[in-house]
Amino acid sequence: MIRTLWLILVVLLLPFWSLSQTSTLTGTVSDAETGAPLAGATVFIIGTYKGAFSREDGSFSIEGIKPGDYSIRFTYVGYAEKVFNGIRLTAGSNRLNANMNSSVQTLGEVEIVGQRTLIDLESGQSQVLITDEEISQMGVKNVQEIVAMQVGVNETPDGVQIRGGRVYETEYLIDGINAQDPLAGTGFGVDVNALAVQNVELITGGSGVEFGSGTAGVVLTRIKEGEDKFSLNLDYQRDNLGFNKNVGPSWNTDQLDASISGPIIKKKLRFFVGGSAFLTDNFFRFTADQLRSSLLEDETQWAPRQDNRWSGTLKMAYNLKPGWKLTFTNQHSLNINQSTRSLQIIGNDAVVTPGFQYGFSLDMDQANTYTHKSNLSILNLKGVLGEQWTFELSGGRLFTNLRADANARPFRTETVDRILDPQSIITDPVEIFNPLDDTVFVFPGPGLVNNGGIAQLWHDHYVQEYTLKSKFTFLSQNKVHYVNFGWEHKEQTYQWIDVIRPWVGAPIQINDSITTPSTSLGRSSDVWKVSPATGGFFFQDEIRYKGIIAVLGARFNYWAPGRFADDAVEDPDALVLDVVRDEYREESVNILGRRWKARLLPRINVSFPVSDNNVLYFNYSHAMRLAHPRFVYAGLDPVFQDRSFLANLGNPNLNPEVTVSYEIGLKSQLTRDLALTLVAFYNDKFDYIVRRRIEVRDPTGRFVEKSFAINQDFARIRGVEVALTKRIGNSFMGSISGSYSVATGKSNSARESELQIRQQGFVNTTEEQFLAWDRPFDVKMLALFTPDSTVFIGGFPLKGFRLSVSSTWKSGLRYTPYQLVRVNDFTGRPEYERIDERPFDEVGTYWFWTDATLSRDFFLGPTTLSLSVEVTNLTNYRSAAIVNGVTGDAYEFGDPLPLEARDPLFPDPLNNGIPPFNPARFTTPRQVLFGVQLQF
């Protein structure tokens, strides 16, 4: 009986006894080369308040540590920081010795020992770093796909959106230099193939002051440098075996990636060269006989399919001397397709419509072809200046050019001898409709272009941007202050030509008897060439004290619209409002012949442990994004005046769009193989661009109506995110994440705001609506299984097999609902009308897809041969990319449709709209790709 009582007592007290156990960490810190002890070195347990200094003999001791898994950081003046990850401290005494290397040899980099941690407990940012090893296992093709798999990122027909921001609000950098086309209106610019990526860092909250324009988030891509041994990588995938092109899960897709890297001078000069080609006909099953582009001399060579993407990478790295490195990067990309999303002109209200030109599906050879070519060159110098200073100098040149034309038709022909406007016309056999005895109607045409007419848009723009960037870092001797400061400046040249129906006003020569001189530049046009400049000074102090990290910083951004705007303000013949002239002069400063404006952007970041391995952090930051140049410069040139209805007028005094962000989060390293992140954020966005109708007097003295841009719109995005990451040995890595957010604002675009005022007759500056791209729920899952030699199934070794599975479930697209108002007496059709007072009030059916890749490696001496099968949208679930406002789902035959839509169930001679069978109304179906990879 007594023995039983003692046993019960021990069991009851065991948890309290285990909680009372603590760990002690001891060890020595010494020079890696000489073995001499280092006195005064700092030893700190990351994610706690515990640390110590080494004694005269290099020894140290830290007591009272809760048993668990930790990262231990060692720092010493003149030596590279060293971090040991995954150190398990048990109750009682534990020992860890550190041999440290001179920082002159390591260029200020941190030496990491052990597996990479699942979470960075010292960063107060919401960020994720995806390495090349992880990228190779994920089955992704480019940087956009990598980013889209992360928490807080939504993939829509519009593009990639971060935390409810608009597509263009992402700052996209390659090796620290801007790689985004500022005129195309998309979030990305220069394409980078996944094979060329060293790592991708995504920052969705709390970005540093060196980043100047990411009001939604920052995507930083680093290109591979090559190593001191030669390597060759060939990777080929296709979705057919030749006889089944464009059949079933085949879209006639081929992708070839190749790279070679190695030393030119061992331990001094290394290189990396890569190239990729992605060619496909898409799943729409409508293709042109041949895509052509007037931007290329031999366009057929570069556009054998309906969607053609090419990219090339070159990087050279030269070690000048210990601690000094010079790199050169060149990234080139070329895209040729017929997706209207290649050019998302700001102000277009179809913010979530796919880019397929369904109206031209009967004659894709007459649709718009988009050619986008980009080239980015970067020269970077890094160096160590003594024991406490490092620096980085970067220079870059970005050139990007986008052309949209009617599949390479000339801008104007010498003779206009036929109808060029695309129309749907009635063809044989003619069908009649006779609802009344005395009236006979003829059914309209198919609703699709069938008269040989051509696409109405002709567009060309180019951007040339030169960037100079410097960054200096200083680490105080006591390792308390980590200061970085610098300067970034960009000189830009933008040219924009946008013409609708360019043949209007063109010479007409029929039988040489009639000649009409050109009187206009199309029905409407927008033409300008400008040379703006932007830049910023930044300063940031990261203060570390006993586990508490506070980052205080600010960025002083400046910009100059350029002499084009300056001259327009001073030119009485330019269409600039008097009030704008006065405000422009008052709010800008003349320096070196150009007028400049500026804004201060503060940023605060604080993180501290709330318990061991549990860190709470808070962010407060301001960020800005300059208005799209189209809003600034349109119509200011007195020579190229657009006098068409709804012509745009620029405003040279526009202020940037601003985002004020608040964020609080918790990072928890539950074990060395299990991590949890929980974040709540609130983004307040204001000074979005809206349009208003005004009357101005043109140079001829007459009053004309213009669409004028001002800063007035706003949006609010708030949400929560949670992510759980699990690792099992060296064989498995998995994560599951989810987010809930709400995005509301006054309007979805500048054009929509103008329509609101025209319809309502007044300006409503307070009432908010759901934004069209708001996707409340988003859940993602990723599993990477790469078994090592210890994993078997039934005695069969699994080493060499690799499996990646990713799934996404998210809310559908928002839409404005419709309601039944009547039934047509003649046709019997139920008529549904839009409920205008409930804009984007409903959420369509959910989106879901699962992608999986299985591969098998065969090790043949120094060569590795890999065979793979990749399946995208494994379940073949078709999500609604174009929502039927009556049903909340993509249209299926037999569904009721809005009144303005063409309903095939109820033929109506007065309804000649586009049929509802656009194949892009669904997202991509299942696709199966077979691959082979060779690594030498």
Side-chain angles (χ1 to χ4, degrees):
M1 182 68 178
I2 295 177
R3 179 179 296 180
T4 303
L5 290 174
W6 271 109
L7 183 60
I8 294 174
L9 183 61
V10 169
V11 171
L12 291 175
L13 293 179
L14 184 61
F16 299 97
W17 176 81
S18 63
L19 288 175
S20 68
Q21 299 301 297
T22 60
S23 299
T24 299
L25 178 64
T26 61
T28 59
V29 186
S30 58
D31 185 288
E33 291 187 7
T34 66
L38 300 178
T42 302
V43 186
F44 184 73
I45 303 177
I46 296 174
T48 74
Y49 293 105
K50 295 179 173 58
F53 293 100
S54 60
R55 306 179 186 95
E56 289 294 329
D57 61 353
S59 65
F60 68 90
S61 178
I62 305 175
E63 300 178 347
I65 310 168
K66 179 182 175 182
D69 300 320
Y70 297 95
S71 293
I72 316 296
R73 185 179 68 239
F74 293 82
T75 57
Y76 190 72
V77 176
Y79 287 79
E81 182 176 314
K82 192 167 189 175
V83 177
F84 291 84
N85 288 331
I87 301 300
R88 176 158 294 173
L89 300 182
T90 59
S93 180
N94 302 264
R95 187 169 183 82
L96 179 65
N97 298 326
N99 299 318
M100 304 189 69
N101 295 301
S102 169
S103 61
V104 176
Q105 303 290 331
T106 59
L107 198 60
E109 298 172 357
V110 179
E111 183 180 355
I112 304 294
V113 180
Q115 285 184 307
R116 187 167 70 96
T117 58
L118 298 178
I119 197 169
D120 187 352
L121 293 176
E122 291 191 296
S123 171
Q125 300 175 329
S126 292
Q127 65 180 142
V128 60
L129 181 70
I130 306 100
T131 65
D132 58 338
E133 182 179 356
E134 295 168 334
I135 292 170
S136 66
Q137 300 170 8
M138 292 165 62
V140 291
K141 297 176 177 62
N142 51 46
V143 174
Q144 293 93 313
E145 292 185 7
I146 297 170
V147 172
M149 297 177 70
Q150 311 308 316
V151 64
V153 181
N154 259 319
E155 189 176 7
T156 72
D158 225 20
V160 174
Q161 297 168 322
I162 298 177
R163 284 192 172 177
R166 300 183 181 186
V167 167
Y168 63 86
E169 293 183 54
T170 301
E171 184 173 4
Y172 177 46
L173 307 170
I174 294 177
D175 283 353
I177 298 296
N178 172 54
Q180 186 182 53
D181 185 339
L183 298 183
T186 59
F188 291 83
V190 185
D191 283 341
V192 181
N193 182 264
L195 193 66
V197 175
Q198 180 66 39
N199 58 60
V200 174
E201 184 176 1
L202 170 65
I203 306 174
T204 57
S207 61
V209 293
E210 64 179 290
F211 306 114
S213 59
T215 52
V218 178
V219 177
L220 178 57
T221 301
R222 297 177 180 88
I223 303 298
K224 289 181 179 178
E225 290 187 2
E227 299 178 351
D228 281 327
K229 61 179 181 179
F230 285 100
S231 65
L232 174 66
N233 194 315
L234 298 173
D235 192 353
Y236 176 67
Q237 282 186 302
R238 74 178 310 177
D239 65 352
N240 65 86
L241 301 177
F243 58 85
N244 60 330
K245 292 182 179 179
N246 279 315
V247 176
S250 167
W251 316 335
N252 194 19
T253 300
D254 289 276
Q255 175 156 353
L256 175 63
D257 306 306
S259 70
I260 183 172
S261 63
I264 298 177
I265 304 175
K266 282 201 170 183
K267 297 185 179 181
K268 291 291 279 185
L269 180 61
R270 306 182 306 275
F271 74 94
F272 175 89
V273 178
S276 70
F278 177 78
L279 312 173
T280 184
D281 280 334
N282 294 317
F283 68 92
F284 306 131
R285 309 300 190 195
F286 295 98
T287 61
D289 291 335
Q290 173 64 62
L291 291 191
R292 301 180 183 275
S293 170
S294 55
L295 195 61
L296 303 175
E297 293 183 1
D298 186 5
E299 71 277 9
T300 59
Q301 174 184 347
W302 300 101
R305 308 279 171 84
Q306 194 67 16
D307 187 3
N308 311 272
R309 307 177 207 171
W310 309 82
S311 71
T313 305
L314 167 66
K315 188 164 186 179
M316 309 282 288
Y318 183 61
N319 294 323
L320 298 171
K321 63 179 183 178
W324 289 66
K325 182 167 65 175
L326 180 68
T327 62
F328 172 76
T329 304
N330 180 263
Q331 184 67 41
H332 183 84
S333 64
L334 172 66
N335 295 339
I336 307 174
N337 55 52
Q338 290 191 320
S339 172
T340 60
R341 284 301 168 199
S342 300
L343 175 64
Q344 300 187 55
I345 299 176
I346 306 302
N348 185 352
D349 286 313
V351 290
V352 291
T353 302
F356 177 58
Q357 300 175 65
Y358 177 52
F360 280 92
S361 57
L362 298 181
D363 190 4
M364 296 298 293
D365 287 292
Q366 307 301 334
N368 270 129
T369 294
Y370 294 83
T371 306
H372 198 184
K373 61 178 183 178
S374 302
N375 190 286
L376 176 64
S377 298
I378 305 165
L379 190 64
N380 181 277
L381 175 64
K382 295 181 180 180
V384 176
L385 302 174
E387 296 181 345
Q388 296 172 265
W389 288 88
T390 63
F391 76 95
E392 183 175 352
L393 299 178
S394 301
R397 176 188 179 269
L398 170 67
F399 182 85
T400 181
N401 189 189
L402 190 148
R403 171 74 57 82
D405 54 32
N407 207 17
R409 285 184 60 90
F411 175 74
R412 289 185 183 226
T413 56
E414 293 184 0
T415 300
V416 178
D417 57 2
R418 68 181 182 87
I419 296 175
L420 296 176
D421 289 314
Q423 295 178 355
S424 170
I425 60 175
I426 301 170
T427 58
D428 286 331
V430 176
E431 297 183 64
I432 63 172
F433 184 79
N434 189 14
L436 300 176
D437 294 339
D438 298 330
T439 305
V440 176
F441 293 93
V442 176
F443 278 117
L448 305 172
V449 177
N450 65 344
N451 71 329
I454 66 174
Q456 302 181 67
L457 172 66
W458 196 96
H459 175 92
D460 183 90
H461 77 245
Y462 78 80
V463 173
Q464 184 166 256
E465 180 176 271
Y466 290 94
T467 301
L468 181 63
K469 187 174 183 180
S470 64
K471 178 183 176 182
F472 294 86
T473 61
F474 169 77
L475 181 62
S476 63
Q477 286 193 354
N478 58 8
K479 306 294 184 179
V480 172
H481 295 275
Y482 184 83
V483 178
N484 73 73
F485 59 91
W487 172 60
E488 181 180 20
H489 184 79
K490 299 176 184 177
E491 289 289 338
Q492 301 148 323
T493 300
Y494 299 158
Q495 177 174 289
W496 179 277
I497 304 174
D498 201 51
V499 184
I500 304 299
R501 296 174 67 201
W503 55 83
V504 172
I508 300 176
Q509 301 174 6
I510 303 175
N511 299 326
D512 297 325
S513 60
I514 301 176
T515 300
T516 303
S518 177
T519 58
S520 67
L521 194 61
R523 186 193 71 179
S524 62
S525 61
D526 188 9
V527 180
W528 36 264
K529 182 178 181 180
V530 298
S531 297
T534 63
F537 298 93
F538 56 88
F539 176 88
Q540 178 176 290
D541 186 8
E542 181 178 308
I543 306 169
R544 299 187 179 193
Y545 181 72
K546 293 185 177 180
I548 300 175
I549 302 176
V551 181
L552 308 177
R555 184 180 176 99
F556 182 77
N557 271 6
Y558 58 83
W559 66 95
R563 290 178 180 169
F564 179 89
D566 296 346
D567 293 343
V569 169
E570 301 301 330
D571 187 347
D573 291 332
L575 295 185
V576 180
L577 299 180
D578 290 338
V579 63
V580 173
R581 297 181 195 271
D582 295 338
E583 290 177 350
Y584 188 77
R585 295 175 182 132
E586 293 173 3
E587 298 175 9
S588 61
V589 178
N590 192 329
I591 302 176
L592 299 177
R594 288 189 288 188
R595 302 200 69 87
W596 300 83
K597 301 180 73 173
R599 189 181 190 99
L600 184 65
L601 305 170
R603 301 187 186 184
I604 300 173
N605 176 297
V606 179
S607 64
F608 55 91
V610 291
S611 63
D612 291 350
N613 278 339
N614 292 278
V615 173
L616 187 69
Y617 66 95
F618 169 78
N619 284 311
Y620 169 76
S621 65
H622 287 226
M624 56 162 273
R625 184 86 177 188
L626 291 176
H628 190 279
R630 185 169 178 253
F631 293 135
V632 179
Y633 304 110
L636 296 185
D637 193 320
V639 177
F640 294 102
Q641 285 284 330
D642 181 3
R643 296 179 174 84
S644 64
F645 178 69
L646 288 182
N648 296 321
L649 179 61
N651 180 356
N653 198 47
L654 281 177
N655 289 320
E657 298 173 345
V658 176
T659 298
V660 180
S661 299
Y662 308 84
E663 180 183 35
I664 186 170
L666 175 68
K667 295 182 179 181
S668 180
Q669 185 78 38
L670 302 176
T671 70
R672 62 183 171 189
D673 295 321
L674 182 63
L676 173 70
T677 303
L678 180 63
V679 181
F681 65 89
Y682 181 98
N683 292 338
D684 187 13
K685 298 175 179 287
F686 59 92
D687 275 351
Y688 272 153
I689 307 303
V690 300
R691 288 196 180 277
R692 297 291 177 258
R693 301 300 296 172
I694 61 170
E695 280 194 348
V696 294
R697 189 186 298 272
D698 70 8
T700 66
R702 68 188 181 99
F703 283 97
V704 292
E705 193 177 44
K706 295 283 186 178
S707 178
F708 184 63
I710 60 174
N711 297 104
Q712 191 180 70
D713 214 344
F714 62 90
R716 295 186 303 140
I717 298 97
R718 51 276 193 204
V720 293
E721 299 169 354
V722 60
L724 185 68
T725 304
K726 174 65 176 176
R727 178 171 56 203
I728 301 177
N730 297 318
S731 300
F732 177 83
M733 172 82 75
S735 67
I736 183 169
S737 62
S739 65
Y740 173 77
S741 64
V742 177
T744 58
K746 179 65 178 64
S747 60
N748 288 287
S749 67
R751 177 73 177 129
E752 183 181 283
S753 70
E754 180 182 348
L755 293 176
Q756 287 176 350
I757 186 63
R758 291 173 69 87
Q759 294 170 355
Q760 300 170 0
F762 64 92
V763 180
N764 186 341
T765 60
T766 58
E767 185 176 349
E768 297 182 32
Q769 66 182 43
F770 290 108
L771 297 178
W773 55 82
D774 176 45
R775 312 286 292 274
F777 291 98
D778 183 21
V779 180
K780 296 183 173 76
M781 184 277 291
L782 173 65
L784 303 175
F785 183 52
T786 55
D788 57 21
S789 58
T790 64
V791 181
F792 294 81
I793 291 183
F796 181 79
L798 294 184
K799 182 180 179 180
F801 285 92
R802 288 176 290 154
L803 174 66
S804 70
V805 180
S806 63
S807 290
T808 299
W809 180 96
K810 63 177 60 184
S811 300
L813 299 175
R814 282 200 171 272
Y815 68 97
T816 301
Y818 284 68
Q819 63 182 353
L820 179 65
V821 293
R822 71 184 70 86
V823 176
N824 189 290
D825 293 335
F826 294 107
T827 64
R829 175 182 176 178
E831 296 184 350
Y832 293 85
E833 293 184 353
R834 186 171 59 189
I835 309 176
D836 289 328
E837 59 271 21
R838 294 176 56 193
F840 299 103
D841 195 47
E842 297 288 343
V843 178
T845 54
Y846 68 88
W847 283 26
F848 173 76
W849 66 88
T850 296
D851 300 334
T853 302
L854 176 64
S855 63
R856 174 71 161 97
D857 296 336
F858 298 92
F859 305 100
L860 310 173
T863 303
T864 301
L865 170 67
S866 301
L867 303 178
S868 66
V869 177
E870 178 183 348
V871 184
T872 60
N873 194 4
L874 182 65
T875 63
N876 204 34
Y877 180 82
R878 307 295 303 280
S879 305
I882 300 177
V883 177
N884 178 357
V886 177
T887 65
D889 202 349
Y891 173 78
E892 297 279 9
F893 184 76
D895 289 345
L897 285 165
L899 178 60
E900 63 271 16
R902 182 174 186 157
D903 194 334
L905 288 181
F906 300 93
D908 188 340
L910 301 180
N911 190 332
N912 58 359
I914 293 181
F917 302 112
N918 186 344
R921 68 189 188 276
F922 295 105
T923 57
T924 55
R926 180 191 298 121
Q927 185 183 28
V928 181
L929 295 132
F930 306 95
V932 58
Q933 183 181 50
L934 283 174
Q935 292 179 308
F936 300 94

